[in-house]
Amino acid sequence: DVKVTQSSRYLVKRTGEKVFLECVQDMDHENMFWYRQDPGLGLRLIYFSYDVKMKEKGDIPEGYSVSREKKERFSLILESASTNQTSMYLCATTSYMNTEAFFGQGTRLTVV
Amino acid sequence: DAKTTQPNSMESNEEEPVHLPCNHSTISGTDYIHWYRQLPSQGPEYVIHGLTSNVNNRMASLAIAEDRKSSTLILHRATLRDAAVYYCIRDTNFGNEKLTFGTGTRLTIIP
């Protein structure tokens, strides 16, 4: 059974903190994605990576960075969390040969 | 830019068929149509995809217009468990493609 695991289901952080959201996949997929989901706005792509150490900006990269040191792990970093980054964050993966995407369960981040 | 257009919401009665429309008038010849759904409190899950011909699987059917500018996801007999947000996206189905979702259609099933 394929798995995309996000490190936390719920997270509460203070404004100005550095926040790491981790995503691990066991499918040997090349591509990994970070989205945020807000009411009325759907899923918006923050960053994606198609290989180790490679990253591409999505539609809303401002305020975020990412790291992909190993194929199975893709981290989303909020350098200085702000209240407008309170959201549901979703990680997804696809392979080169079949872009059926597999999603994690999501991390609901609250910044206070 | 999701490049697809879907109604914001739809309702259907339980045990009746549901037809969820999607417009993708600028689709290119190599783009596939993918459908995903997101159940409450879960990440999206794959439903079905197709290129030109109609497709069936255990979850749903996908009817693609002859000009490929629109498609319809068909749930043959809706159950309460089908209440979800349904996303229609286009993708080349190969390579390091950026996957863009939109706001989807929120499907409500009436008992």
Side-chain angles (χ1 to χ4, degrees):
Chain A
D1 196 16
V2 297
K3 262 205 174 145
V4 181
T5 304
Q6 295 183 226
S7 51
S8 304
R9 196 73 196 267
Y10 300 94
L11 210 51
V12 180
K13 295 292 183 181
R14 294 193 181 281
T15 302
E17 274 193 81
K18 189 169 187 175
V19 181
F20 292 86
L21 302 183
E22 305 284 346
C23 177
V24 178
Q25 51 109 351
D26 65 359
M27 291 166 287
D28 202 34
H29 281 179
E30 294 83 4
N31 303 324
M32 297 188 76
F33 305 81
W34 275 108
Y35 297 88
R36 65 177 283 177
Q37 184 169 33
D38 302 286
L41 298 177
L43 273 76
R44 294 181 291 167
L45 181 63
I46 305 171
Y47 267 97
F48 68 106
S49 168
Y50 53 87
D51 202 350
V52 176
K53 297 193 187 294
M54 305 300 289
K55 61 183 179 184
E56 295 282 341
K57 291 180 180 179
D59 300 315
I60 51 163
E62 297 78 20
Y64 303 95
S65 62
V66 289
S67 172
R68 185 132 182 236
E69 296 296 317
K70 293 184 178 181
K71 189 176 184 180
E72 67 271 19
R73 186 180 297 269
F74 191 36
S75 303
L76 180 69
I77 303 157
L78 287 66
E79 293 290 340
S80 177
S82 65
T83 54
N84 63 13
Q85 292 178 310
T86 291
S87 186
M88 170 68 82
Y89 290 88
L90 288 156
C91 173
T93 76
T94 66
S95 73
Y96 274 177
M97 297 306 296
N98 180 354
T99 56
E100 176 183 341
F102 293 87
F103 281 82
Q105 287 290 85
T107 296
R108 185 164 293 283
L109 172 67
T110 302
V111 182
V112 297
Chain B
D1 178 12
K3 298 178 280 190
T4 63
T5 305
Q6 300 175 252
N8 287 334
S9 62
M10 290 182 63
E11 287 185 349
S12 180
N13 293 321
E14 193 177 10
E15 299 186 3
E16 289 187 359
V18 182
H19 291 235
L20 295 161
C22 180
N23 287 322
H24 28 81
S25 57
T26 61
I27 194 169
S28 73
T30 54
D31 282 351
Y32 282 72
I33 299 302
H34 290 245
W35 283 82
Y36 288 79
R37 73 177 186 179
Q38 187 174 18
L39 301 172
S41 302
Q42 296 188 24
E45 63 177 355
Y46 167 82
V47 177
I48 200 166
H49 77 281
L51 183 62
T52 53
S53 359
N54 296 344
V55 183
N56 300 294
N57 67 19
R58 64 175 178 81
M59 291 179 72
S61 295
L62 176 59
I64 301 173
E66 203 168 324
D67 63 7
R68 299 208 333 117
K69 293 184 177 182
S70 65
S71 61
T72 302
L73 179 72
I74 302 164
L75 308 178
H76 295 285
R77 192 165 167 269
T79 69
L80 295 177
R81 292 175 62 184
D82 291 321
V85 178
Y86 287 80
Y87 299 94
C88 162
I89 69 173
R90 31 184 282 195
D91 186 64
T92 61
N93 215 49
F94 177 78
N96 52 353
E97 189 75 14
K98 167 179 163 179
L99 270 187
T100 301
F101 288 72
T103 54
T105 297
R106 180 173 298 278
L107 176 64
T108 301
I109 304 298
I110 302 167

